[in-house]
Amino acid sequence: MKVGIIGAGTMGSGIAQAFAMTDGYEVCLCDIKEEYAEGGKAKIQKNMNFLVSKEKITQEKADEVMGKITTGLNNICGECDLIVEVALEKMEIKQAIFKELQGIVKKDCMFASNTSSSLSITEIGAGLDRPMIGMHFFNPADRMKLVEVIRGENTPQDMVDKITKIAEEIGKTPVQVKEAPGFVVNRILIPMVNEAIGVLDAGTASAED
């Protein structure tokens, strides 16, 4: 399977690494400038070097992983089977990316967004010629196991099943989530953080404790 990762920053490069380290997957790592995409690949190379130095993987495996990653602009995604968008958390940017991509990719290429729960999966996919799904990784994406698989209003069950299986294949633990503010993790996390602030404010304990 060929996967296009749109956005080569910390999250995008981590997601690209997770796919590239799995047998049967190739990656197109893209950004708005080729040097940004190349910078993302350089981050992955640094991670590979570290894993080799710790004897977690062989040099041969590291070379194989790097050889499966192609960098460039979005136009290199023509043969991709899945797109995972990891762009800025701005609705208009995400919508523009997918509108551009639907004129580049195959008709059966799946669209997924890594939005961290502040934006609607349904709204991101509005007006597109195919359904949208959420595939929310956690930082650092190459190591964190959890992936929220978010169903929008128009996401069919077979797509949810496919993305869930893909997440499992790359060594992740997927959880299926209906679209809602905060999804699951952030919806639970934010009230907990607010409660911690209240505990500190009340003088119940110091921040360090």
Side-chain angles (χ1 to χ4, degrees):
M1 174 175 278
K2 184 170 285 190
V3 181
I5 308 297
I6 311 301
T10 299
M11 283 300 294
S13 61
I15 295 169
Q17 179 179 324
F19 278 106
M21 291 188 74
T22 305
D23 291 343
Y25 285 87
E26 297 178 27
V27 175
C28 295
L29 182 57
C30 307
D31 215 307
I32 56 174
K33 292 185 178 180
E34 290 195 16
E35 53 262 43
Y36 294 169
E38 290 165 4
K41 187 172 182 178
K43 291 190 186 85
I44 299 171
Q45 181 69 73
K46 185 177 179 180
N47 289 343
M48 291 297 101
N49 294 343
F50 176 79
L51 292 174
V52 170
S53 72
K54 295 297 182 181
E55 299 184 346
K56 300 290 186 182
I57 62 172
T58 64
Q59 184 63 56
E60 182 180 24
K61 177 63 176 179
D63 293 342
E64 177 191 325
V65 169
M66 297 310 299
K68 292 163 67 179
I69 303 170
T70 303
T71 59
L73 307 180
N74 294 356
N75 59 11
I76 68 171
C77 293
E79 296 302 312
C80 286
D81 304 292
L82 168 66
I83 296 293
V84 181
E85 168 272 313
V86 201
L88 291 173
E89 284 291 283
K90 292 188 177 181
M91 180 61 71
E92 62 272 19
I93 291 176
K94 294 180 184 293
Q95 289 176 328
I97 286 170
F98 284 113
K99 283 178 182 176
E100 176 192 3
L101 283 167
Q102 70 181 0
I104 296 172
V105 301
K106 303 180 295 183
K107 290 295 183 185
D108 60 351
C109 177
M110 294 179 288
F111 280 174
S113 176
N114 183 63
T115 180
S116 61
S117 75
S118 60
L119 300 177
S120 162
I121 296 298
T122 302
E123 189 177 349
I124 292 171
L128 297 179
D129 62 0
R130 68 199 72 198
M132 174 70 62
I133 196 166
M135 195 175 188
H136 181 210
F137 291 78
F138 292 82
N139 190 29
D142 57 303
R143 282 167 280 166
M144 294 290 281
K145 293 292 186 181
L146 184 64
V147 172
E148 291 180 314
V149 179
I150 305 104
R151 179 205 295 269
E153 290 180 10
N154 304 312
T155 310
Q157 183 60 45
D158 69 322
M159 188 178 189
V160 174
D161 294 341
K162 287 176 183 177
I163 295 299
T164 298
K165 183 180 178 182
I166 288 169
E168 290 171 344
E169 286 178 350
I170 64 173
K172 302 304 183 183
T173 303
V175 293
Q176 295 186 19
V177 181
K178 292 181 181 178
E179 183 174 61
F183 303 148
V184 170
V185 174
N186 285 333
R187 187 166 180 174
I188 295 170
L189 174 64
I190 299 306
M192 185 175 71
V193 171
N194 287 340
E195 184 66 17
I197 293 169
V199 169
L200 177 64
D201 184 60
T204 306
S206 68
E208 293 76 14
D209 291 333

